[in-house]
Structure formats: structure tokens, C-alpha cells
Amino acid sequence: MTFRELADILGAEVVVGDDRMEDTIRGAFASDLLSDVLAFAREGALLITGITNPQVVRTAEMLELLGIVIVRGKRPDEEAIKLARAKKIPLFCTRYIMFETCGRLFKHGLSGYIE
């Protein structure tokens, strides 16, 4: 799945990453607890979360995650957007809750496991 397909499936707003829309996403991890993200997410995964502050971008950078989808219609704060731009980490927003976001992506072939 590409970021373009993800945006279409989720009706997502592209906040950061217009230049990365053809990048391929191979897997995802969903959590609102950054401690779980740090413990269980794998390098190269897409992060699905409701966290909107700069810490989520710093965590994505540290773990070399592919990008971030913010759920529940939330918007990242301005500092998070600036940091995502600076670190070149794609950032999307969708109105769907986390469960539906994961379900829609899974239905279209995105797995939670990256080999």
C-alpha cells in the first residue's frame, strides 16, 4: 500500500508528506501509549495513534517509523507539524477512530507484522 492509497482509504488529510505519497507501507502499529510504541513497534512501520504532540514525532524518528496517522479527527499541534516537516516524517489525519482506521487498512492488505 502507498501513502496515496492510505489517504484515499481513510479520507485522510496529508499534513506533511506530499512528496512521499508513492512510498510503500508494509505494516503498521497502533497505540496511544508511547511506552507501548517504544516497546513493540518495528522499524519501518506506520504508526496509528491519537497522540498529537511533538513526542509522537520524536518517537517515530527514534524508531525509524515510516509515518504517522492521527485518528479521531484530532489535529497535531503546530510544533509537531514543524518537527514532522523538519524530520521528513509523513503525517496524516483521519476522522475515523483507531479501530476503524486499523480495520480499513487491514481490509486493504496492510498487516500489523513486518517481515
Side-chain angles (χ1 to χ4, degrees):
M1 175 182 303
T2 65
F3 279 123
R4 185 171 313 285
E5 292 168 322
L6 174 141
D8 289 342
I9 292 164
L10 299 178
E13 174 191 354
V14 182
V15 179
V16 175
D18 283 332
D19 58 332
R20 307 255 323 260
M21 295 301 283
E22 301 310 319
D23 287 9
T24 300
I25 306 161
R26 298 177 315 149
F29 183 82
S31 182
D32 281 343
L33 295 173
L34 290 180
S35 58
D36 281 355
V37 176
L38 288 166
F40 301 111
R42 293 186 176 192
E43 179 181 322
L46 172 74
L47 177 58
I48 301 166
T49 188
I51 301 170
T52 61
N53 62 46
Q55 284 305 109
V56 73
V57 179
R58 289 185 182 97
T59 300
E61 177 191 23
M62 183 186 324
L63 295 176
E64 297 182 25
L65 300 179
L66 192 61
I68 303 165
V69 174
I70 297 176
V71 297
R72 298 189 291 272
K74 291 182 171 186
R75 300 267 319 144
D77 65 30
E78 201 54 44
E79 189 178 338
I81 294 170
K82 288 178 187 176
L83 189 58
R85 278 194 191 111
K87 302 298 181 181
K88 300 183 186 327
I89 297 173
L91 183 57
F92 298 82
C93 295
T94 184
R95 63 184 171 88
Y96 296 114
I97 64 171
M98 189 181 297
F99 180 81
E100 187 161 352
T101 297
C102 293
R104 286 174 175 266
L105 295 176
F106 184 81
K107 178 180 174 184
H108 286 87
L110 191 62
S111 171
Y113 179 74
I114 300 174
E115 291 186 36

